């Protein structure tokens, strides 16, 4: 019995995204490429992400960090929410999707509008707009367990406010 493709198409992997990831076929639509790229993350086939990226994305692509991130996540599915263009006879297309994954027992939803274009007749990922809040970025250095507590008590952080934070 065949394993179902991680992209959620309901097809066997061998009949769906595997030929794309193995370089045996090219996606005919932007949605097929989106699903194959999701599979590349889910299966750690990071080189496929680079190969299917447009020139601007390739310039900033970090294969090592992409691989670490992809392997640290447990991928649970992708939902295609909307498409604009991206058909076999189109030159450009957009695919709005939500990729579901978990990291360290916490579930996440990556919601994005991905832009695709044909380059020399082959679909590639050009750019994406992520929906939702931006990640929280720390302005101050992280407080270590043995640093003085920032509340001014004179006690170590691990014996002061950190204890209260752990129970919240």
């Amino acid at each position: 019995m065949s394993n179902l493709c991680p992209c959620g198409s309901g097809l066997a992997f061998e009949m769906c995204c595997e030929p794309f990831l193995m370089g045996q076929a090219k996606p005919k639509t932007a949605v097929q490429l989106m699903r194959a790229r999701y599979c590349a993350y889910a299966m750690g086939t990071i080189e496929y992400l680079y190969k299917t990226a447009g020139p601007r994305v390739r310039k900033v692509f970090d294969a090592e960090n992409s691989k670490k991130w992809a392997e640290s996540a447990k991928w649970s599915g992708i939902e295609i929410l909307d498409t604009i263009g991206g058909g076999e006879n189109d030159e450009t297309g957009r695919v709005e999707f939500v990729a579901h994954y978990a990291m360290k027992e916490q579930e996440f939803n990556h919601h994005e509008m991905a832009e695709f274009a044909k380059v020399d007749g082959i679909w590639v990922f050009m750019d994406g707009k992520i929906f939702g809040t931006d990640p929280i970025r720390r302005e101050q250095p992280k407080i270590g367990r043995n640093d003085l507590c920032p509340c001014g008590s004179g006690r170590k952080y691990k014996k002061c406010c950190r204890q209260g934070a752990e129970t919240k």
Side-chain angles (χ1 to χ4, degrees):
M1 181 169 184
S2 299
N3 289 330
L4 290 179
C5 189
C7 82
S9 67
L11 299 173
F13 178 60
E14 306 82 51
M15 303 301 291
C16 192
C17 291
E18 183 180 45
F20 304 141
L21 297 180
M22 301 298 291
Q24 299 165 343
K26 303 285 185 207
K28 294 179 182 175
T29 67
V31 169
Q32 282 183 331
L33 178 56
M34 183 66 251
R35 288 183 177 283
R37 287 177 60 85
Y38 170 83
C39 283
Y41 277 109
M43 302 181 87
T45 315
I46 302 307
E47 59 275 1
Y48 184 77
L49 298 171
Y50 181 80
K51 289 177 185 176
T52 59
R56 200 173 99 228
V57 174
R58 282 184 175 196
K59 286 181 185 175
V60 297
F61 187 77
D62 183 341
E64 185 177 328
N65 280 330
S66 293
K67 186 168 183 69
K68 285 179 187 174
W69 181 71
E71 289 175 348
S72 69
K74 181 179 178 193
W75 299 90
S76 55
I78 184 171
E79 291 177 76
I80 305 298
L81 302 178
D82 194 19
T83 59
I84 301 167
E88 289 186 46
N89 298 318
D90 293 321
E91 292 297 313
T92 62
R94 291 183 177 171
V95 178
E96 183 179 356
F97 70 95
V98 178
H100 304 283
Y101 65 98
M103 293 181 112
K104 298 181 182 177
E105 311 300 320
Q106 186 174 357
E107 293 185 11
F108 295 94
N109 297 311
H110 176 87
H111 184 186
E112 182 176 329
M113 176 67 81
E115 295 182 25
F116 298 91
K118 282 185 180 173
V119 174
D120 298 327
I122 298 170
W123 283 108
V124 295
F125 170 72
M126 300 301 284
D127 202 357
K129 178 183 181 280
I130 298 170
F131 295 102
T133 58
D134 289 335
I136 298 170
R137 288 182 170 71
R138 187 183 311 276
E139 298 293 326
Q140 303 293 327
K142 185 175 178 180
I143 302 167
R145 297 181 58 217
N146 291 315
D147 292 341
L148 290 178
C149 191
C151 76
S153 67
R155 297 170 61 193
K156 288 185 179 183
Y157 181 60
K158 69 181 177 185
K159 295 288 185 180
C160 192
C161 291
R162 182 168 185 255
Q163 285 183 320
E166 289 175 347
T167 59
K168 290 181 184 174

